[in-house]
PDB file of all heavy atoms in Angstrom:
ATOM      1  N   ASP A 351     -14.513  11.046  20.819  1.00  0.00           N
ATOM      2  CA  ASP A 351     -15.537  10.935  21.857  1.00  0.00           C
ATOM      3  C   ASP A 351     -16.808  10.370  21.216  1.00  0.00           C
ATOM      4  O   ASP A 351     -16.813  10.040  20.025  1.00  0.00           O
ATOM      5  CB  ASP A 351     -15.782  12.295  22.520  1.00  0.00           C
ATOM      6  CG  ASP A 351     -16.188  13.370  21.516  1.00  0.00           C
ATOM      7  OD1 ASP A 351     -16.492  13.009  20.357  1.00  0.00           O
ATOM      8  OD2 ASP A 351     -16.205  14.558  21.869  1.00  0.00           O
ATOM      9  N   PRO A 352     -17.878  10.202  21.976  1.00  0.00           N
ATOM     10  CA  PRO A 352     -19.115   9.664  21.390  1.00  0.00           C
ATOM     11  C   PRO A 352     -19.604  10.438  20.172  1.00  0.00           C
ATOM     12  O   PRO A 352     -20.136   9.842  19.221  1.00  0.00           O
ATOM     13  CB  PRO A 352     -20.108   9.739  22.552  1.00  0.00           C
ATOM     14  CG  PRO A 352     -19.258   9.595  23.767  1.00  0.00           C
ATOM     15  CD  PRO A 352     -17.989  10.313  23.444  1.00  0.00           C
ATOM     16  N   HIS A 353     -19.416  11.751  20.179  1.00  0.00           N
ATOM     17  CA  HIS A 353     -19.822  12.537  19.012  1.00  0.00           C
ATOM     18  C   HIS A 353     -19.009  12.145  17.781  1.00  0.00           C
ATOM     19  O   HIS A 353     -19.543  12.097  16.664  1.00  0.00           O
ATOM     20  CB  HIS A 353     -19.651  14.023  19.302  1.00  0.00           C
ATOM     21  CG  HIS A 353     -19.905  14.898  18.113  1.00  0.00           C
ATOM     22  ND1 HIS A 353     -21.147  15.014  17.514  1.00  0.00           N
ATOM     23  CD2 HIS A 353     -19.058  15.704  17.379  1.00  0.00           C
ATOM     24  CE1 HIS A 353     -21.074  15.838  16.489  1.00  0.00           C
ATOM     25  NE2 HIS A 353     -19.825  16.271  16.380  1.00  0.00           N
ATOM     26  N   THR A 354     -17.726  11.841  17.985  1.00  0.00           N
ATOM     27  CA  THR A 354     -16.872  11.415  16.866  1.00  0.00           C
ATOM     28  C   THR A 354     -17.416  10.149  16.229  1.00  0.00           C
ATOM     29  O   THR A 354     -17.539  10.054  15.001  1.00  0.00           O
ATOM     30  CB  THR A 354     -15.435  11.179  17.359  1.00  0.00           C
ATOM     31  OG1 THR A 354     -14.970  12.317  18.080  1.00  0.00           O
ATOM     32  CG2 THR A 354     -14.518  10.907  16.178  1.00  0.00           C
ATOM     33  N   TRP A 355     -17.736   9.173  17.070  1.00  0.00           N
ATOM     34  CA  TRP A 355     -18.232   7.909  16.520  1.00  0.00           C
ATOM     35  C   TRP A 355     -19.593   8.077  15.858  1.00  0.00           C
ATOM     36  O   TRP A 355     -19.926   7.359  14.909  1.00  0.00           O
ATOM     37  CB  TRP A 355     -18.306   6.860  17.628  1.00  0.00           C
ATOM     38  CG  TRP A 355     -16.991   6.657  18.312  1.00  0.00           C
ATOM     39  CD1 TRP A 355     -16.706   6.806  19.629  1.00  0.00           C
ATOM     40  CD2 TRP A 355     -15.750   6.307  17.675  1.00  0.00           C
ATOM     41  NE1 TRP A 355     -15.372   6.568  19.863  1.00  0.00           N
ATOM     42  CE2 TRP A 355     -14.769   6.255  18.684  1.00  0.00           C
ATOM     43  CE3 TRP A 355     -15.370   6.027  16.359  1.00  0.00           C
ATOM     44  CZ2 TRP A 355     -13.436   5.940  18.429  1.00  0.00           C
ATOM     45  CZ3 TRP A 355     -14.042   5.712  16.095  1.00  0.00           C
ATOM     46  CH2 TRP A 355     -13.100   5.672  17.115  1.00  0.00           C
ATOM     47  N   GLN A 356     -20.392   9.017  16.366  1.00  0.00           N
ATOM     48  CA  GLN A 356     -21.676   9.279  15.714  1.00  0.00           C
ATOM     49  C   GLN A 356     -21.469   9.847  14.314  1.00  0.00           C
ATOM     50  O   GLN A 356     -22.135   9.430  13.353  1.00  0.00           O
ATOM     51  CB  GLN A 356     -22.488  10.249  16.569  1.00  0.00           C
ATOM     52  CG  GLN A 356     -23.865  10.576  15.982  1.00  0.00           C
ATOM     53  CD  GLN A 356     -24.637  11.557  16.842  1.00  0.00           C
ATOM     54  OE1 GLN A 356     -24.135  12.045  17.864  1.00  0.00           O
ATOM     55  NE2 GLN A 356     -25.868  11.877  16.438  1.00  0.00           N
ATOM     56  N   VAL A 357     -20.532  10.789  14.179  1.00  0.00           N
ATOM     57  CA  VAL A 357     -20.243  11.368  12.866  1.00  0.00           C
ATOM     58  C   VAL A 357     -19.672  10.311  11.931  1.00  0.00           C
ATOM     59  O   VAL A 357     -20.037  10.248  10.743  1.00  0.00           O
ATOM     60  CB  VAL A 357     -19.270  12.554  13.017  1.00  0.00           C
ATOM     61  CG1 VAL A 357     -18.822  13.063  11.654  1.00  0.00           C
ATOM     62  CG2 VAL A 357     -19.918  13.681  13.814  1.00  0.00           C
ATOM     63  N   ILE A 358     -18.788   9.469  12.453  1.00  0.00           N
ATOM     64  CA  ILE A 358     -18.203   8.412  11.621  1.00  0.00           C
ATOM     65  C   ILE A 358     -19.275   7.437  11.156  1.00  0.00           C
ATOM     66  O   ILE A 358     -19.296   7.023   9.986  1.00  0.00           O
ATOM     67  CB  ILE A 358     -17.084   7.682  12.394  1.00  0.00           C
ATOM     68  CG1 ILE A 358     -15.887   8.613  12.600  1.00  0.00           C
ATOM     69  CG2 ILE A 358     -16.655   6.422  11.644  1.00  0.00           C
ATOM     70  CD1 ILE A 358     -14.777   7.997  13.423  1.00  0.00           C
ATOM     71  N   THR A 359     -20.183   7.077  12.062  1.00  0.00           N
ATOM     72  CA  THR A 359     -21.262   6.150  11.689  1.00  0.00           C
ATOM     73  C   THR A 359     -22.127   6.735  10.586  1.00  0.00           C
ATOM     74  O   THR A 359     -22.507   6.035   9.632  1.00  0.00           O
ATOM     75  CB  THR A 359     -22.121   5.831  12.929  1.00  0.00           C
ATOM     76  OG1 THR A 359     -21.296   5.231  13.940  1.00  0.00           O
ATOM     77  CG2 THR A 359     -23.241   4.869  12.561  1.00  0.00           C
ATOM     78  N   GLN A 360     -22.455   8.008  10.693  1.00  0.00           N
ATOM     79  CA  GLN A 360     -23.256   8.654   9.648  1.00  0.00           C
ATOM     80  C   GLN A 360     -22.510   8.666   8.319  1.00  0.00           C
ATOM     81  O   GLN A 360     -23.102   8.430   7.257  1.00  0.00           O
ATOM     82  CB  GLN A 360     -23.616  10.071  10.076  1.00  0.00           C
ATOM     83  CG  GLN A 360     -24.553  10.147  11.271  1.00  0.00           C
ATOM     84  CD  GLN A 360     -24.764  11.568  11.755  1.00  0.00           C
ATOM     85  OE1 GLN A 360     -24.105  12.506  11.298  1.00  0.00           O
ATOM     86  NE2 GLN A 360     -25.693  11.743  12.700  1.00  0.00           N
ATOM     87  N   ALA A 361     -21.200   8.940   8.363  1.00  0.00           N
ATOM     88  CA  ALA A 361     -20.405   8.971   7.137  1.00  0.00           C
ATOM     89  C   ALA A 361     -20.321   7.590   6.507  1.00  0.00           C
ATOM     90  O   ALA A 361     -20.387   7.450   5.272  1.00  0.00           O
ATOM     91  CB  ALA A 361     -19.006   9.505   7.432  1.00  0.00           C
ATOM     92  N   LEU A 362     -20.190   6.548   7.327  1.00  0.00           N
ATOM     93  CA  LEU A 362     -20.117   5.190   6.790  1.00  0.00           C
ATOM     94  C   LEU A 362     -21.456   4.744   6.213  1.00  0.00           C
ATOM     95  O   LEU A 362     -21.500   4.021   5.216  1.00  0.00           O
ATOM     96  CB  LEU A 362     -19.671   4.223   7.888  1.00  0.00           C
ATOM     97  CG  LEU A 362     -18.237   4.400   8.390  1.00  0.00           C
ATOM     98  CD1 LEU A 362     -17.924   3.378   9.469  1.00  0.00           C
ATOM     99  CD2 LEU A 362     -17.241   4.276   7.241  1.00  0.00           C
ATOM    100  N   THR A 363     -22.542   5.172   6.840  1.00  0.00           N
ATOM    101  CA  THR A 363     -23.869   4.850   6.305  1.00  0.00           C
ATOM    102  C   THR A 363     -24.057   5.476   4.928  1.00  0.00           C
ATOM    103  O   THR A 363     -24.571   4.833   3.994  1.00  0.00           O
ATOM    104  CB  THR A 363     -24.962   5.338   7.266  1.00  0.00           C
ATOM    105  OG1 THR A 363     -24.793   4.719   8.547  1.00  0.00           O
ATOM    106  CG2 THR A 363     -26.346   4.996   6.725  1.00  0.00           C
ATOM    107  N   GLN A 364     -23.639   6.731   4.792  1.00  0.00           N
ATOM    108  CA  GLN A 364     -23.720   7.393   3.492  1.00  0.00           C
ATOM    109  C   GLN A 364     -22.813   6.724   2.480  1.00  0.00           C
ATOM    110  O   GLN A 364     -23.172   6.564   1.300  1.00  0.00           O
ATOM    111  CB  GLN A 364     -23.350   8.868   3.642  1.00  0.00           C
ATOM    112  CG  GLN A 364     -23.479   9.678   2.365  1.00  0.00           C
ATOM    113  CD  GLN A 364     -24.905   9.723   1.843  1.00  0.00           C
ATOM    114  OE1 GLN A 364     -25.838   9.939   2.616  1.00  0.00           O
ATOM    115  NE2 GLN A 364     -25.096   9.506   0.545  1.00  0.00           N
ATOM    116  N   ALA A 365     -21.619   6.316   2.908  1.00  0.00           N
ATOM    117  CA  ALA A 365     -20.689   5.640   2.004  1.00  0.00           C
ATOM    118  C   ALA A 365     -21.261   4.308   1.530  1.00  0.00           C
ATOM    119  O   ALA A 365     -21.094   3.935   0.362  1.00  0.00           O
ATOM    120  CB  ALA A 365     -19.350   5.427   2.699  1.00  0.00           C
ATOM    121  N   LYS A 366     -21.938   3.597   2.420  1.00  0.00           N
ATOM    122  CA  LYS A 366     -22.551   2.318   2.031  1.00  0.00           C
ATOM    123  C   LYS A 366     -23.619   2.531   0.977  1.00  0.00           C
ATOM    124  O   LYS A 366     -23.715   1.773   0.003  1.00  0.00           O
ATOM    125  CB  LYS A 366     -23.145   1.641   3.267  1.00  0.00           C
ATOM    126  CG  LYS A 366     -23.792   0.300   2.977  1.00  0.00           C
ATOM    127  CD  LYS A 366     -24.357  -0.326   4.251  1.00  0.00           C
ATOM    128  CE  LYS A 366     -25.031  -1.663   3.938  1.00  0.00           C
ATOM    129  NZ  LYS A 366     -25.600  -2.294   5.173  1.00  0.00           N
ATOM    130  N   GLN A 367     -24.416   3.581   1.154  1.00  0.00           N
ATOM    131  CA  GLN A 367     -25.453   3.883   0.165  1.00  0.00           C
ATOM    132  C   GLN A 367     -24.840   4.315  -1.167  1.00  0.00           C
ATOM    133  O   GLN A 367     -25.276   3.874  -2.235  1.00  0.00           O
ATOM    134  CB  GLN A 367     -26.373   4.976   0.691  1.00  0.00           C
ATOM    135  CG  GLN A 367     -27.500   5.345  -0.259  1.00  0.00           C
ATOM    136  CD  GLN A 367     -28.412   6.405   0.322  1.00  0.00           C
ATOM    137  OE1 GLN A 367     -28.331   6.725   1.517  1.00  0.00           O
ATOM    138  NE2 GLN A 367     -29.290   6.969  -0.511  1.00  0.00           N
ATOM    139  N   ASP A 368     -23.805   5.148  -1.103  1.00  0.00           N
ATOM    140  CA  ASP A 368     -23.148   5.598  -2.323  1.00  0.00           C
ATOM    141  C   ASP A 368     -22.471   4.432  -3.049  1.00  0.00           C
ATOM    142  O   ASP A 368     -22.440   4.399  -4.283  1.00  0.00           O
ATOM    143  CB  ASP A 368     -22.110   6.675  -1.993  1.00  0.00           C
ATOM    144  CG  ASP A 368     -22.754   7.963  -1.519  1.00  0.00           C
ATOM    145  OD1 ASP A 368     -23.955   8.161  -1.784  1.00  0.00           O
ATOM    146  OD2 ASP A 368     -22.053   8.762  -0.860  1.00  0.00           O
ATOM    147  N   PHE A 369     -21.920   3.498  -2.290  1.00  0.00           N
ATOM    148  CA  PHE A 369     -21.261   2.340  -2.905  1.00  0.00           C
ATOM    149  C   PHE A 369     -22.252   1.514  -3.719  1.00  0.00           C
ATOM    150  O   PHE A 369     -21.899   0.952  -4.758  1.00  0.00           O
ATOM    151  CB  PHE A 369     -20.621   1.477  -1.824  1.00  0.00           C
ATOM    152  CG  PHE A 369     -19.843   0.299  -2.357  1.00  0.00           C
ATOM    153  CD1 PHE A 369     -18.554   0.460  -2.833  1.00  0.00           C
ATOM    154  CD2 PHE A 369     -20.413  -0.962  -2.387  1.00  0.00           C
ATOM    155  CE1 PHE A 369     -17.837  -0.618  -3.331  1.00  0.00           C
ATOM    156  CE2 PHE A 369     -19.702  -2.044  -2.875  1.00  0.00           C
ATOM    157  CZ  PHE A 369     -18.416  -1.870  -3.351  1.00  0.00           C
ATOM    158  N   ALA A 370     -23.485   1.454  -3.243  1.00  0.00           N
ATOM    159  CA  ALA A 370     -24.504   0.680  -3.962  1.00  0.00           C
ATOM    160  C   ALA A 370     -25.074   1.441  -5.152  1.00  0.00           C
ATOM    161  O   ALA A 370     -25.503   0.820  -6.132  1.00  0.00           O
ATOM    162  CB  ALA A 370     -25.632   0.295  -2.998  1.00  0.00           C
ATOM    163  N   ASP A 371     -25.073   2.770  -5.093  1.00  0.00           N
ATOM    164  CA  ASP A 371     -25.740   3.572  -6.119  1.00  0.00           C
ATOM    165  C   ASP A 371     -24.795   4.144  -7.168  1.00  0.00           C
ATOM    166  O   ASP A 371     -25.217   4.385  -8.305  1.00  0.00           O
ATOM    167  CB  ASP A 371     -26.519   4.732  -5.469  1.00  0.00           C
ATOM    168  CG  ASP A 371     -27.623   4.246  -4.542  1.00  0.00           C
ATOM    169  OD1 ASP A 371     -28.062   3.091  -4.719  1.00  0.00           O
ATOM    170  OD2 ASP A 371     -28.015   5.005  -3.637  1.00  0.00           O
ATOM    171  N   LEU A 372     -23.545   4.403  -6.803  1.00  0.00           N
ATOM    172  CA  LEU A 372     -22.629   5.107  -7.686  1.00  0.00           C
ATOM    173  C   LEU A 372     -21.599   4.167  -8.288  1.00  0.00           C
ATOM    174  O   LEU A 372     -21.393   3.047  -7.812  1.00  0.00           O
ATOM    175  CB  LEU A 372     -21.909   6.234  -6.915  1.00  0.00           C
ATOM    176  CG  LEU A 372     -22.805   7.280  -6.258  1.00  0.00           C
ATOM    177  CD1 LEU A 372     -21.952   8.296  -5.512  1.00  0.00           C
ATOM    178  CD2 LEU A 372     -23.679   7.973  -7.293  1.00  0.00           C
ATOM    179  N   ARG A 373     -20.971   4.652  -9.351  1.00  0.00           N
ATOM    180  CA  ARG A 373     -19.870   3.941  -9.974  1.00  0.00           C
ATOM    181  C   ARG A 373     -18.650   4.852 -10.008  1.00  0.00           C
ATOM    182  O   ARG A 373     -18.764   6.074 -10.074  1.00  0.00           O
ATOM    183  CB  ARG A 373     -20.231   3.512 -11.411  1.00  0.00           C
ATOM    184  CG  ARG A 373     -21.395   2.513 -11.498  1.00  0.00           C
ATOM    185  CD  ARG A 373     -21.635   2.076 -12.914  1.00  0.00           C
ATOM    186  NE  ARG A 373     -20.473   1.396 -13.469  1.00  0.00           N
ATOM    187  CZ  ARG A 373     -20.394   0.927 -14.712  1.00  0.00           C
ATOM    188  NH1 ARG A 373     -21.421   1.109 -15.541  1.00  0.00           N
ATOM    189  NH2 ARG A 373     -19.312   0.311 -15.125  1.00  0.00           N
ATOM    190  N   ALA A 374     -17.499   4.245  -9.971  1.00  0.00           N
ATOM    191  CA  ALA A 374     -16.250   5.024  -9.970  1.00  0.00           C
ATOM    192  C   ALA A 374     -16.115   5.813 -11.269  1.00  0.00           C
ATOM    193  O   ALA A 374     -16.517   5.332 -12.335  1.00  0.00           O
ATOM    194  CB  ALA A 374     -15.064   4.084  -9.805  1.00  0.00           C
ATOM    195  N   PRO A 375     -15.549   7.015 -11.142  1.00  0.00           N
ATOM    196  CA  PRO A 375     -15.031   7.659  -9.932  1.00  0.00           C
ATOM    197  C   PRO A 375     -16.134   8.293  -9.097  1.00  0.00           C
ATOM    198  O   PRO A 375     -17.045   8.893  -9.636  1.00  0.00           O
ATOM    199  CB  PRO A 375     -14.077   8.709 -10.495  1.00  0.00           C
ATOM    200  CG  PRO A 375     -14.663   9.069 -11.833  1.00  0.00           C
ATOM    201  CD  PRO A 375     -15.274   7.803 -12.365  1.00  0.00           C
ATOM    202  N   VAL A 376     -16.005   8.132  -7.785  1.00  0.00           N
ATOM    203  CA  VAL A 376     -17.016   8.645  -6.873  1.00  0.00           C
ATOM    204  C   VAL A 376     -16.457   9.862  -6.144  1.00  0.00           C
ATOM    205  O   VAL A 376     -15.243  10.066  -6.089  1.00  0.00           O
ATOM    206  CB  VAL A 376     -17.419   7.560  -5.849  1.00  0.00           C
ATOM    207  CG1 VAL A 376     -18.019   6.365  -6.552  1.00  0.00           C
ATOM    208  CG2 VAL A 376     -16.215   7.141  -5.001  1.00  0.00           C
ATOM    209  N   PRO A 377     -17.319  10.692  -5.567  1.00  0.00           N
ATOM    210  CA  PRO A 377     -16.816  11.830  -4.776  1.00  0.00           C
ATOM    211  C   PRO A 377     -16.021  11.341  -3.567  1.00  0.00           C
ATOM    212  O   PRO A 377     -16.351  10.311  -2.971  1.00  0.00           O
ATOM    213  CB  PRO A 377     -18.100  12.555  -4.349  1.00  0.00           C
ATOM    214  CG  PRO A 377     -19.147  12.088  -5.303  1.00  0.00           C
ATOM    215  CD  PRO A 377     -18.786  10.696  -5.676  1.00  0.00           C
ATOM    216  N   ALA A 378     -15.002  12.072  -3.214  1.00  0.00           N
ATOM    217  CA  ALA A 378     -14.150  11.695  -2.086  1.00  0.00           C
ATOM    218  C   ALA A 378     -14.815  12.156  -0.792  1.00  0.00           C
ATOM    219  O   ALA A 378     -14.366  13.092  -0.123  1.00  0.00           O
ATOM    220  CB  ALA A 378     -12.767  12.314  -2.240  1.00  0.00           C
ATOM    221  N   THR A 379     -15.900  11.484  -0.438  1.00  0.00           N
ATOM    222  CA  THR A 379     -16.604  11.814   0.797  1.00  0.00           C
ATOM    223  C   THR A 379     -15.793  11.338   1.999  1.00  0.00           C
ATOM    224  O   THR A 379     -14.882  10.515   1.879  1.00  0.00           O
ATOM    225  CB  THR A 379     -17.992  11.167   0.813  1.00  0.00           C
ATOM    226  OG1 THR A 379     -17.846   9.737   0.697  1.00  0.00           O
ATOM    227  CG2 THR A 379     -18.833  11.661  -0.357  1.00  0.00           C
ATOM    228  N   THR A 380     -16.152  11.864   3.170  1.00  0.00           N
ATOM    229  CA  THR A 380     -15.377  11.533   4.366  1.00  0.00           C
ATOM    230  C   THR A 380     -15.415  10.042   4.678  1.00  0.00           C
ATOM    231  O   THR A 380     -14.413   9.475   5.128  1.00  0.00           O
ATOM    232  CB  THR A 380     -15.903  12.330   5.564  1.00  0.00           C
ATOM    233  OG1 THR A 380     -17.324  12.105   5.700  1.00  0.00           O
ATOM    234  CG2 THR A 380     -15.645  13.820   5.386  1.00  0.00           C
ATOM    235  N   GLY A 381     -16.558   9.407   4.446  1.00  0.00           N
ATOM    236  CA  GLY A 381     -16.645   7.977   4.715  1.00  0.00           C
ATOM    237  C   GLY A 381     -15.721   7.173   3.833  1.00  0.00           C
ATOM    238  O   GLY A 381     -14.989   6.286   4.310  1.00  0.00           O
ATOM    239  N   PHE A 382     -15.724   7.460   2.541  1.00  0.00           N
ATOM    240  CA  PHE A 382     -14.843   6.744   1.613  1.00  0.00           C
ATOM    241  C   PHE A 382     -13.373   7.006   1.933  1.00  0.00           C
ATOM    242  O   PHE A 382     -12.548   6.087   1.926  1.00  0.00           O
ATOM    243  CB  PHE A 382     -15.154   7.162   0.179  1.00  0.00           C
ATOM    244  CG  PHE A 382     -16.363   6.499  -0.410  1.00  0.00           C
ATOM    245  CD1 PHE A 382     -17.257   7.225  -1.197  1.00  0.00           C
ATOM    246  CD2 PHE A 382     -16.621   5.158  -0.190  1.00  0.00           C
ATOM    247  CE1 PHE A 382     -18.376   6.617  -1.746  1.00  0.00           C
ATOM    248  CE2 PHE A 382     -17.733   4.541  -0.734  1.00  0.00           C
ATOM    249  CZ  PHE A 382     -18.617   5.270  -1.507  1.00  0.00           C
ATOM    250  N   VAL A 383     -13.020   8.254   2.195  1.00  0.00           N
ATOM    251  CA  VAL A 383     -11.618   8.584   2.456  1.00  0.00           C
ATOM    252  C   VAL A 383     -11.138   7.932   3.751  1.00  0.00           C
ATOM    253  O   VAL A 383     -10.013   7.439   3.829  1.00  0.00           O
ATOM    254  CB  VAL A 383     -11.430  10.112   2.497  1.00  0.00           C
ATOM    255  CG1 VAL A 383     -10.001  10.464   2.901  1.00  0.00           C
ATOM    256  CG2 VAL A 383     -11.753  10.720   1.141  1.00  0.00           C
ATOM    257  N   TRP A 384     -11.993   7.930   4.778  1.00  0.00           N
ATOM    258  CA  TRP A 384     -11.609   7.289   6.044  1.00  0.00           C
ATOM    259  C   TRP A 384     -11.361   5.801   5.845  1.00  0.00           C
ATOM    260  O   TRP A 384     -10.385   5.254   6.358  1.00  0.00           O
ATOM    261  CB  TRP A 384     -12.703   7.525   7.075  1.00  0.00           C
ATOM    262  CG  TRP A 384     -12.319   7.122   8.483  1.00  0.00           C
ATOM    263  CD1 TRP A 384     -11.395   7.724   9.278  1.00  0.00           C
ATOM    264  CD2 TRP A 384     -12.872   6.043   9.239  1.00  0.00           C
ATOM    265  NE1 TRP A 384     -11.341   7.097  10.494  1.00  0.00           N
ATOM    266  CE2 TRP A 384     -12.238   6.055  10.507  1.00  0.00           C
ATOM    267  CE3 TRP A 384     -13.846   5.077   8.988  1.00  0.00           C
ATOM    268  CZ2 TRP A 384     -12.548   5.134  11.511  1.00  0.00           C
ATOM    269  CZ3 TRP A 384     -14.155   4.163   9.987  1.00  0.00           C
ATOM    270  CH2 TRP A 384     -13.499   4.192  11.230  1.00  0.00           C
ATOM    271  N   LEU A 385     -12.229   5.138   5.085  1.00  0.00           N
ATOM    272  CA  LEU A 385     -12.033   3.719   4.801  1.00  0.00           C
ATOM    273  C   LEU A 385     -10.772   3.483   3.978  1.00  0.00           C
ATOM    274  O   LEU A 385     -10.042   2.500   4.201  1.00  0.00           O
ATOM    275  CB  LEU A 385     -13.254   3.163   4.066  1.00  0.00           C
ATOM    276  CG  LEU A 385     -14.543   3.042   4.878  1.00  0.00           C
ATOM    277  CD1 LEU A 385     -15.697   2.604   3.984  1.00  0.00           C
ATOM    278  CD2 LEU A 385     -14.368   2.057   6.033  1.00  0.00           C
ATOM    279  N   ALA A 386     -10.497   4.384   3.032  1.00  0.00           N
ATOM    280  CA  ALA A 386      -9.276   4.255   2.238  1.00  0.00           C
ATOM    281  C   ALA A 386      -8.041   4.417   3.117  1.00  0.00           C
ATOM    282  O   ALA A 386      -7.046   3.691   2.955  1.00  0.00           O
ATOM    283  CB  ALA A 386      -9.274   5.298   1.121  1.00  0.00           C
TER     284      ALA A 386
END
Side-chain angles (χ1 to χ4, degrees):
D351 57 12
H353 174 66
T354 308
W355 304 122
Q356 181 181 3
V357 173
I358 292 177
T359 300
Q360 293 174 352
L362 293 180
T363 301
Q364 183 62 45
K366 181 180 179 180
Q367 181 178 349
D368 292 341
F369 183 81
D371 298 338
L372 302 179
R373 296 184 62 181
V376 298
T379 59
T380 54
F382 281 139
V383 175
W384 190 69
L385 290 175

